[in-house]
Amino acid sequence: MLSAAMTDLLNDQLNREFFSSNLYLQMSSWAEAEGLDGCATFLRNHADEEMGHMKRFYNYINEKGAMAIIGAIDAPQTKFKDIKDVFEQIYEHEQHITQKIHEIVKAAFSEGDMTTFNFLQYFVAEQHEEETLVRSILDRVKIIGLDGKGVFFIDQELARYGSGEVTVAESMAPGAE
Ligand code: FEO
């Protein structure tokens, strides 16, 4: 059984995951409007992942006999400067999400709610993975730059990550194309 305080914390996170999905979907539409199809695909897939996270919280809360509360989700911003701006904002957002996940982990531990503590470990690992991925993309953007063919090249790379053809880590490995 979940405590009332833990139910609230999990519901808050459920809604943050919903917002993350909407934010990335909005960014995807911005990218598509800019003709950045690879970036759009990558972000749309990422939005789907976030919706998967939302459902994990939704299912867990229900499995524990509590009720998931879908609250009002803030509208994401619609204007972005360029790809670098988009990924900087994603990185900042994911760091915020990591901090929130860690706060819930600490609360679960101090309550002695080991089932929830265990449930949250997936998200601890997932946040580490996401932060690493976004930082790698940002590093690439900084190295390649957004001048001339830079944007085109980055968009092509993102298309490859988005399709699952290659991971960022693989593409950055020595000897990779
Ligand atoms: Fe659901 Fe991007 O963390």
Side-chain angles (χ1 to χ4, degrees):
M1 183 168 161
L2 292 175
S3 70
M6 185 52 65
T7 304
D8 286 349
L9 288 172
L10 293 173
N11 268 320
D12 286 347
Q13 188 56 36
L14 177 157
N15 282 280
R16 277 187 210 103
E17 301 291 346
F18 226 127
F19 174 79
S20 300
S21 182
N22 288 354
L23 174 64
Y24 299 153
L25 200 58
Q26 183 63 67
M27 286 172 163
S28 173
S29 188
W30 170 86
E32 197 147 344
E34 293 284 316
L36 303 167
D37 292 348
C39 184
T41 302
F42 177 88
L43 291 166
R44 200 165 47 244
N45 289 345
H46 209 80
D48 287 347
E49 265 188 45
E50 297 298 351
M51 201 48 89
H53 294 170
M54 187 283 290
K55 283 182 188 155
R56 272 183 187 256
F57 279 97
Y58 176 91
N59 288 338
Y60 181 72
I61 292 166
N62 282 302
E63 281 165 15
K64 296 294 283 178
M67 191 170 79
I69 308 281
I70 313 296
I73 318 288
D74 288 342
Q77 72 177 80
T78 55
K79 291 189 175 65
F80 306 96
K81 195 164 155 262
D82 49 30
I83 289 190
K84 184 161 166 271
D85 181 32
V86 165
F87 280 95
E88 278 173 348
Q89 292 205 34
I90 295 175
Y91 189 50
E92 199 176 308
H93 180 66
E94 289 301 336
Q95 285 179 300
H96 168 69
I97 295 294
T98 299
Q99 187 194 331
K100 290 295 171 189
I101 293 282
H102 289 185
E103 284 172 17
I104 309 172
V105 169
K106 282 184 219 159
F109 190 79
S110 65
E111 272 192 19
D113 181 350
M114 293 309 157
T115 311
T116 300
F117 180 82
N118 183 56
F119 163 74
L120 291 166
Q121 296 313 303
Y122 168 86
F123 290 96
V124 173
E126 184 72 8
Q127 284 310 119
H128 170 65
E129 207 176 284
E130 286 194 4
E131 281 192 26
T132 304
L133 170 69
V134 177
R135 206 170 50 241
S136 307
I137 293 170
L138 266 178
D139 285 345
R140 285 219 141 181
V141 170
K142 283 174 192 159
I143 291 165
I144 297 165
L146 297 179
D147 295 337
K149 291 182 182 157
V151 174
F152 177 73
F153 183 67
I154 290 162
D155 192 53
Q156 280 198 321
E157 287 287 287
L158 287 169
R160 295 170 76 212
Y161 310 149
S163 69
E165 184 192 327
V166 68
T167 66
V168 174
E170 281 166 354
S171 82
M172 293 184 86
E177 285 174 21

